[in-house]
Amino acid sequence: MKDYAKLWLAYSPKKNNRECGDLKKIYISGVSENDKIVKNAVAELKAGLKAMLDIEPSIEYGSAGPDIKIQNGKDMQDKEEYTISIKDSGLEIAAKSGAGILYGAFDILRTVACEESVEKAYAAGKTVRPSNPLRMLNHWDNMDGSIERGYSGESFFYENNEIVIDERTKDYARLIAAVGINAIVINNVNVKQAASYMITDRYFDKLAQLGEILAGYGIGLYMSLNYASTIEIGGLDSADPLDEKVIEWWKVKMAEVFKKIPTLKGFLVKADSEGRPGPFTYGRTQADGANMLADIVKDYDAIIIWRCFVYNCKQDWRDRKTDRARAGYDNFIPMDGDYHDNVILQIKNGPMDFQIREPISPLFGGLKKTNQMLEVQIAQEYTGHQIDVCYLIPEFKEILGFKTYCSEKDDTVADIISGKTLGSRFSGIAAVTNTGNDFNWTGNYLAGANLYGFGRLAFDTDLSAEQIAEEFVRMTISENEEVVSAVLEILLPSREIYERYTSPLGIGWMVTPATHYGCSVDGYEYDRWGTYHRADHLGIGVDRTDKGTGYALLYNEPNASMYNSPDDCPDELVLFFHHLPYTHVLHSGKTVIQHIYDTHFEGYAQARELAAKWDSLKGKIDDAIFDNVKERFERQLYNAREWCDQVNSYFYRKSGIPDEKGREIW
Ligand code: GCV
């Protein structure tokens, strides 16, 4: 087994331990001391406080409430809520479930680790209720050990088509529970080869064992499912969701699966997408497919999470009417209201695919009667492969705060996925994760801020991107104020800087095909994936207005009118919605072409500033962390320069319009 960093569970000794108050006793109330999550919470508290403050508090249990198991959906947030208050010479954590106690324990450990005063943090009593019922990580890990879009080594779940369970498995559960994650999907949504057999006795024992470990930290186990299992492992000739033979096969299969893996909470399904099989093959709808499976797993209190990433990936670039951005909406809205209660539709944040800037998917605010979950990606597929630093929490804050105008109140994406808007029992947020078996888990050490931050934000959407970043830095790099400020100055603007030196004004996609790292302005222009910028010598952008593909009109008003008008559309998305001349003047007062030049030069210059800031930390932080990020910055600068020069040269050559400031363009 490879060695690995402890990240925010390092629990290093604290100098300012007086600040942390007198923690002679910890009172735990509302739960049974025999609950296995409570036991893990207590072990965590004891180990953490001993390591950080060298104290050994005694634990006192108050009266236990009824024995509560957290089931999918049913009042999950109530049961995971916790309250911490000061009691006698110590602290009390009160909750209705072991998970609540665990989150409370990690809250205390975080307070101590960040050297905040325990007195101040809890004097008024602190109650935290998770913002979202499901706070999930989606692993795109394959059973051969590779990871689709993985940039931090190999899988720590699989090796040579076997499931690996070791100390790292448990530490992973601890790490993600500490930030509030309560669900993981352990295999790639592209379920192929050995992964199709995860629902057979070849893997049941290991999966049952893994499920138990995760359950001990309040984490539900989910798997991605091969929609065509009936054919691929069942020997049937069909996967038609309305075919009785198919339904019967799934009934028998699910009875076996849930008996053998009692902790299993459900499945994630990618169907009819990028070559994966699905109900369309049989002339059935996405709802037919999802409901068939959901009805069967309902008997086991399980759910089906069905992805909305369904689009035609064999488009003709000459065709200007078919618009990939419309696909999710067109494929899923007609059945709004038909999806059964234990189906959740999982929707990528944007209508395309995790570009550095996209509008919010119009499915949010479009679906009015369906359980919904947001899917974001912390694996930096299009945002720098964990080579370039790109702290994504500011973007996720924008996504969550987007007003969909789907109702009079509670109409933001955050409201929808928390279950507030629709009163839904099943909802939440998932991130395609950025972990692997690298020493530091995430390749670039600073990419750990996205793993940490996603969990924290999913648990409490009111936290600011700044607070989350600061916690990460204090807990995993240094408490030295100079270091904290410098790392925050690197993390916080990094997403905007990445956007500046890559693709402008919401256009996206100018990446190297297949790998998705590095610049290739026309890489996806004459391809089949529906990903075009439509640049010629006069202008650039995709007309998605009422005169073009009509995509802008899929939003509720006033968003539809705003996006439909080049004058009202926000600058950062204007080329996503409009085809404009290079001389078009933006709200910023700059022309499109000058914006392209300026942002690219600025973005590259700012990336150099970030790297220099990092260099200033030499000797002030752990050498291994310093070297790791330094090496990534060297690659980032090469990448940023290529982007800057290629994009500027491309558009200068297309448009013939020189840079007002006369800078060097090739
Ligand atoms: C798991 C994009 C990625 C694929 C990924 C797919 C998806 O197309 O490039 O690697 O497949 O999204 O989200 O299903």
Side-chain angles (χ1 to χ4, degrees), residues 74-373:
K74 292 180 203 136
D75 317 318
M76 276 172 98
Q77 288 139 294
D78 287 343
K79 292 173 189 161
E80 294 177 323
E81 176 179 302
Y82 62 87
T83 298
I84 304 175
S85 31
I86 296 191
K87 184 171 172 181
D88 307 331
S89 53
L91 290 174
E92 176 180 47
I93 316 175
K96 292 188 189 130
S97 72
I101 299 294
L102 184 70
Y103 298 136
F106 281 122
D107 190 310
I108 295 172
L109 292 167
R110 188 164 49 239
T111 300
V112 175
C114 292
E115 297 199 77
E116 280 168 39
S117 145
V118 166
E119 281 280 315
K120 259 195 240 145
Y122 305 118
K126 175 177 180 184
T127 297
V128 186
R129 183 176 193 272
S131 307
N132 296 292
L134 278 167
R135 307 174 298 277
M136 179 180 258
L137 290 172
N138 290 180
H139 282 263
W140 285 358
D141 295 28
N142 300 314
M143 298 207 77
D144 62 3
S146 63
I147 301 178
E148 181 149 353
R149 311 304 177 186
Y151 313 108
S152 343
E154 301 265 288
S155 172
F156 46 76
F157 281 133
Y158 313 105
E159 217 177 85
N160 298 327
N161 294 328
E162 293 301 333
I163 296 171
V164 177
I165 297 180
D166 56 24
E167 199 52 28
R168 190 163 189 158
T169 321
K170 185 175 146 210
D171 279 345
Y172 180 60
R174 295 173 57 226
L175 268 177
I176 61 175
V179 293
I181 296 296
N182 68 355
I184 60 172
V185 179
I186 56 165
N187 59 313
N188 189 356
V189 285
N190 291 326
V191 188
K192 296 178 194 163
Q193 289 118 13
S196 302
Y197 292 84
M198 283 176 83
I199 51 171
T200 68
D201 56 11
R202 185 162 153 192
Y203 294 113
F204 285 149
D205 289 349
K206 280 281 171 68
L207 289 169
Q209 223 182 313
L210 179 58
E212 282 299 326
I213 294 171
L214 296 171
Y217 292 90
I219 301 163
L221 171 68
Y222 295 76
M223 291 195 275
S224 295
L225 201 61
N226 184 338
Y227 180 79
S229 297
T230 44
I231 301 173
E232 290 190 31
I233 63 170
L236 303 188
D237 58 3
S238 170
D240 180 349
L242 304 189
D243 180 332
E244 278 309 323
K245 282 192 312 293
V246 170
I247 298 171
E248 195 45 41
W249 186 88
W250 276 118
K251 280 189 178 154
V252 174
K253 179 46 77 186
M254 289 301 182
E256 184 192 10
V257 170
F258 283 96
K259 184 163 176 238
K260 294 291 174 61
I261 319 169
T263 55
L264 186 66
K265 300 268 188 176
F267 296 96
L268 174 64
V269 187
K270 170 176 179 176
D272 287 312
S273 172
E274 300 184 331
R276 303 314 301 145
F280 281 169
T281 311
Y282 306 93
R284 311 298 183 195
T285 65
Q286 297 297 298
D288 291 332
N291 290 341
M292 180 273 289
L293 290 169
D295 291 350
I296 296 170
V297 304
K298 196 170 187 163
D299 288 349
Y300 313 98
D301 284 322
I303 58 176
I304 295 295
I305 305 173
W306 192 269
R307 294 178 87 226
C308 294
F309 189 56
V310 177
Y311 70 100
N312 174 5
C313 65
K314 292 191 177 151
Q315 256 183 255
D316 181 347
W317 57 269
R318 298 165 193 87
D319 166 13
R320 287 180 181 247
K321 280 291 163 204
T322 310
D323 181 2
R324 170 167 166 181
R326 294 191 59 111
Y329 192 96
D330 291 343
N331 283 317
F332 285 88
I333 287 283
M335 287 90 64
D336 188 19
D338 294 347
Y339 305 95
H340 291 176
D341 280 357
N342 60 330
V343 173
I344 311 183
L345 295 188
Q346 184 165 300
I347 306 163
K348 288 191 181 185
N349 59 273
M352 300 296 278
D353 194 13
F354 302 134
Q355 302 304 292
I356 188 67
R357 178 78 65 173
E358 286 187 44
I360 305 304
S361 166
L363 280 166
F364 292 115
L367 289 165
K368 304 261 167 38
K369 297 173 231 154
T370 300
N371 300 326
Q372 295 158 62
M373 231 170 125

Side-chain angles (χ1 to χ4, degrees), residues 251 455 520 554:
K251 280 189 178 154
S520 177
L554 303 181

